[in-house]
Amino acid sequence: MMMHQKLKLVFLVFIMFCGLAFGQSSSKFIVVLDAGHGGKDSGAMYHGVKEKDVALAVVLKVGKLLAQDPEIELVYTRKTDVFIPLNDRATIANDANATIFVSIHCNGAVNQSAYGTETFVMGLTRNASNLEVAKKENAVITLEEDYQIKYKDYDPNKPESLIGLEIMQGQYLDQSIHLASKVQDGFTNTLKRKNRGVKQAGFLVLRNVYMPRILIELGFLSHMPEGKYLKSETGQNKLSDAIAKAIKEYKKEYHIPIIQQTIDPIPVKEPKPEAKPIVAKPQENKTEIIDEIPAPEMAIPSTTTTFRVQIAASSRDLETKPSNFKGLESVSKIPSGSLIKYFYGETMNYEKAKKLKEEAILKGFPSAFVVAFRDGKKISINEALK
């Protein structure tokens, strides 16, 4: 009986270990595609074209292209002309434990000469035009039941009311901007569309999504030539292709899938008769250090490939003391454009970097991720592991 209990305990520990080991990475890159508006909410309407129809058509085309990659799993907030409340869209993404969230929309303006593409990330803004775009997209809440209760903290004239946890926003901001930039680069460089840039604004559909997330404005339906392009099969195909390529490029940089080991035994060469087995001498009172965290100021050659764990990105320049980062020590920072990126630890071992990431997550940084550097420049993880 005692032996049976011991075996049972060993089995349970083994299962828990497997869960921890494989939970560090996912074999699937989960993409939530969100077609803006739908059902009783038509969105922008100009010259006989409805935003909800264009958004859905493009989302389905993007999904068809991404489905060709077996590592990508797709989740849709809607695949038909139905009304989905904004909070429900966030719930769908969070429940799926998605990797990224991509919401697709069309723009419109009183000034019908305005045209071009722009991609938004969640954030504070005082820019008047950005605020107007957010207000327009957020106006859909008035079609929801009990919206005064569900969105009681929302004041469209106070963009700061959209931010619940500032540090949470910062964690996803850098990745969101990176994904948004790839989308805009595709629109601009490949399709030659007018580039209105990557911007920040307080979109309610992005507020409660806990992952890198972007909102794409494909163009202005109010601008007659651009509206025709957005309605056309050709225009939708080209825009969808650019979005799908941007997502795949982002995946290459940020997604490291689990590599399944073969179950076939690996042949082992028999030792030659004259070879003597090497017996390792036991080490006296020596404990293996598995969580070594070299401090950022330690002398690691700049030509070496190193790994750090990015825990946040913010416009605020914080002192890197533990009290500012939930007790984490060995925090460093690097300016990057208008942002400052904050990193935990530094190591030349990728496996140790993954352990550091798990430590950061346990400390309260759920979106922490490993980044690689070589010659002082950021490189993709795939490149670093080659």
Side-chain angles (χ1 to χ4, degrees):
M1 184 68 178
M2 183 67 72
M3 179 62 69
H4 176 72
Q5 290 177 337
K6 286 183 177 179
L7 289 173
K8 186 176 180 181
L9 179 61
V10 170
F11 178 74
L12 289 173
V13 171
F14 173 75
I15 293 298
M16 290 173 64
F17 172 79
C18 288
L20 288 171
F22 286 94
Q24 291 179 3
S25 182
S26 172
S27 59
K28 290 288 186 178
F29 183 86
I30 304 173
V31 179
V32 173
L33 295 176
D34 174 51
H37 308 280
K40 59 185 177 182
D41 173 25
S42 297
M45 290 188 293
Y46 293 90
H47 314 300
V49 184
K50 296 179 181 178
E51 179 181 0
K52 68 173 184 176
D53 296 334
V54 176
L56 181 59
V58 171
V59 155
L60 295 177
K61 290 176 184 293
V62 171
K64 188 175 180 179
L65 292 169
L66 293 179
Q68 297 171 10
D69 186 335
E71 290 182 354
I72 292 179
E73 181 178 321
L74 295 168
V75 177
Y76 298 85
T77 57
R78 70 180 182 98
K79 296 182 74 173
T80 58
D81 185 19
V82 293
F83 178 76
I84 307 292
L86 297 185
N87 277 350
D88 289 0
R89 296 170 191 255
T91 300
I92 291 170
N94 294 330
D95 287 350
N97 194 25
T99 312
I100 60 172
F101 178 88
V102 179
S103 188
I104 294 179
H105 294 253
C106 298
N107 228 326
V110 175
N111 177 9
Q112 297 193 7
S113 63
Y115 69 100
T117 66
E118 52 194 7
T119 302
F120 287 86
V121 300
M122 184 67 191
L124 297 174
T125 181
R126 293 290 180 181
N127 181 282
S129 62
N130 293 1
L131 282 172
E132 283 306 311
V133 175
K135 284 183 188 179
K136 232 176 352 180
E137 299 293 359
N138 293 341
V140 62
I141 63 174
T142 60
L143 299 177
E144 299 181 27
E145 295 181 4
D146 301 325
Y147 75 92
Q148 293 99 333
I149 298 173
K150 290 165 65 177
Y151 303 98
K152 62 181 180 179
D153 296 327
Y154 167 63
D155 181 346
N157 296 310
K158 295 181 180 178
E160 61 272 15
S161 69
L162 291 164
I163 304 300
L165 299 174
E166 182 179 352
I167 191 67
M168 185 67 75
Q169 298 296 339
Q171 290 177 72
Y172 300 111
L173 183 58
D174 181 42
Q175 291 162 286
S176 299
I177 291 174
H178 197 66
L179 176 58
S181 298
K182 287 185 179 297
V183 171
Q184 283 301 119
D185 288 346
F187 288 161
T188 307
N189 299 329
T190 304
L191 303 188
K192 307 303 179 184
R193 310 302 299 174
K194 179 181 178 181
N195 182 13
R196 296 174 65 92
V198 173
K199 304 175 179 179
Q200 288 183 265
F203 290 94
L204 283 172
V205 72
L206 301 181
R207 177 180 63 165
N208 292 324
V209 176
Y210 300 122
M211 64 203 65
R213 66 269 205 224
I214 62 173
L215 186 146
I216 301 170
E217 295 284 2
L218 298 169
F220 285 75
L221 294 176
S222 49
H223 185 65
M224 181 75 79
E226 192 158 68
K228 288 182 179 179
Y229 179 82
L230 295 176
K231 183 182 179 182
S232 71
E233 191 79 12
T234 299
Q236 291 174 5
N237 286 338
K238 289 183 177 180
L239 291 165
S240 303
D241 186 61
I243 295 170
K245 285 181 178 176
I247 291 172
K248 288 178 180 179
E249 287 175 6
Y250 178 91
K251 170 180 168 286
K252 283 181 182 178
E253 185 165 349
Y254 284 96
H255 182 60
I256 307 297
I258 294 172
I259 300 174
Q260 299 293 341
Q261 293 185 349
T262 177
I263 60 174
D264 297 328
I266 300 173
V268 179
K269 292 183 179 180
E270 291 292 334
K272 294 179 181 180
E274 64 273 17
K276 294 182 179 180
I278 299 173
V279 180
K281 294 181 180 179
Q283 298 181 6
E284 297 180 359
N285 301 324
K286 186 173 181 181
T287 304
E288 181 184 5
I289 301 174
I290 60 173
D291 289 325
E292 182 178 279
I293 308 173
E297 62 269 14
M298 289 185 67
I300 296 178
S302 61
T303 54
T304 302
T305 297
T306 62
F307 301 95
R308 298 184 188 183
V309 177
Q310 184 166 324
I311 56 175
S314 174
S315 58
R316 293 178 60 187
D317 189 356
L318 300 174
E319 186 179 348
T320 56
K321 57 185 180 181
S323 59
N324 281 341
F325 296 92
K326 304 182 181 182
L328 286 180
E329 297 179 352
S330 300
V331 173
S332 59
K333 57 186 176 182
I334 298 177
S336 179
S338 60
L339 297 175
I340 296 174
K341 299 177 184 179
Y342 296 90
F343 303 90
Y344 171 50
E346 185 174 25
T347 176
M348 292 179 283
N349 186 302
Y350 181 59
E351 292 305 314
K352 287 183 179 179
K354 290 196 292 185
K355 292 180 184 295
L356 296 181
K357 184 188 79 169
E358 294 305 314
E359 291 176 17
I361 290 172
L362 290 173
K363 280 288 189 178
F365 295 91
S367 65
F369 60 99
V370 178
V371 293
F373 292 88
R374 184 179 296 150
D375 296 330
K377 296 181 180 179
K378 183 180 174 183
I379 61 173
S380 71
I381 297 294
N382 283 327
E383 183 179 350
L385 294 177
K386 287 180 180 177

